[in-house]
Amino acid sequence: MDIKKKKELAKLIFLSEPNVTQQEIADRTGASRVSIGKWVKEWEKLKLNLLQTREERINSTLIQLDELDRAIAQKPEGARFPDKNEAQIRRKLTEDLEALEQDASIRDIYNVSRRLLDWLRPRNLEKAKELANYFDAYIKEQMKWAK
């Protein structure tokens, strides 16, 4: 796996697992501990952006689009069309929705695998460890095909 893919995987792990150590990330990705330390400094700010789930972002975007449509509908008769700015905002909101509704991203796959492992760990620790290895291998393979 090239350094770019290692960094992407490390970022997923860092942002999705609140108690993971930098050494664990290095071990799981094959990146050096020094590189992980440098990257983590870049990613600290991103943690706040991830507090909102994809579903919450979709709902928020739909609400914004609805509010825009209501504002346009309240214009005087004959002028109920979006102006240039409104049309641009509508296009951007629609693009955002389309992007959010795409097939599962690597990040989504990773988050589901983490939730499943969190559920399985107290029930069968050995199976959870075994499954974690399969998830890691699967995610790494998917990253080879990612854009």
Side-chain angles (χ1 to χ4, degrees):
M1 186 172 7
D2 67 17
I3 194 71
K4 184 177 176 183
K5 296 291 183 184
K6 287 179 183 181
K7 185 175 182 180
E8 186 178 341
L9 179 58
K11 183 178 178 181
L12 282 170
I13 294 169
F14 174 76
L15 294 173
S16 301
E17 294 183 38
N19 298 320
V20 70
T21 66
Q22 291 181 19
Q23 185 61 54
E24 287 175 287
I25 296 171
D27 292 343
R28 289 171 60 187
T29 61
S32 74
R33 170 70 178 76
V34 174
S35 293
I36 299 297
K38 290 177 185 175
W39 298 339
V40 162
K41 290 177 185 174
E42 297 173 26
W43 302 332
E44 286 292 341
K45 294 176 241 163
L46 295 175
K47 277 193 172 182
L48 296 175
N49 295 336
L50 295 176
L51 295 176
Q52 199 176 35
T53 67
R54 185 169 89 165
E55 291 78 18
E56 289 169 333
R57 291 193 317 262
I58 288 171
N59 279 340
S60 173
T61 305
L62 286 170
I63 289 168
Q64 292 172 40
L65 191 56
D66 183 58
E67 287 178 13
L68 177 62
D69 287 342
R70 288 175 192 265
I72 293 167
Q74 290 177 358
K75 289 181 176 183
E77 191 74 34
R80 292 189 182 145
F81 297 98
D83 62 27
K84 183 179 177 181
N85 289 336
E86 292 166 334
Q88 187 174 8
I89 292 168
R90 177 185 268 157
R91 272 191 303 279
K92 181 61 178 145
L93 289 171
T94 303
E95 287 172 12
D96 289 350
L97 276 174
E98 288 173 5
L100 287 166
E101 292 172 342
Q102 292 295 318
D103 289 337
S105 67
I106 292 172
R107 180 174 155 197
D108 294 329
I109 294 166
Y110 180 84
N111 286 333
V112 169
S113 69
R114 285 292 110 201
R115 282 188 226 127
L116 176 60
L117 291 171
D118 288 344
W119 174 84
L120 182 58
R121 199 171 286 114
R123 290 164 178 79
N124 189 329
L125 182 59
E126 289 308 310
K127 283 287 184 196
K129 288 179 181 179
E130 180 183 353
L131 192 55
N133 290 330
Y134 284 111
F135 276 132
D136 285 347
Y138 176 74
I139 290 167
K140 286 175 183 175
E141 186 175 306
Q142 294 303 303
M143 291 178 72
K144 290 178 187 173
W145 302 106
K147 293 178 183 177

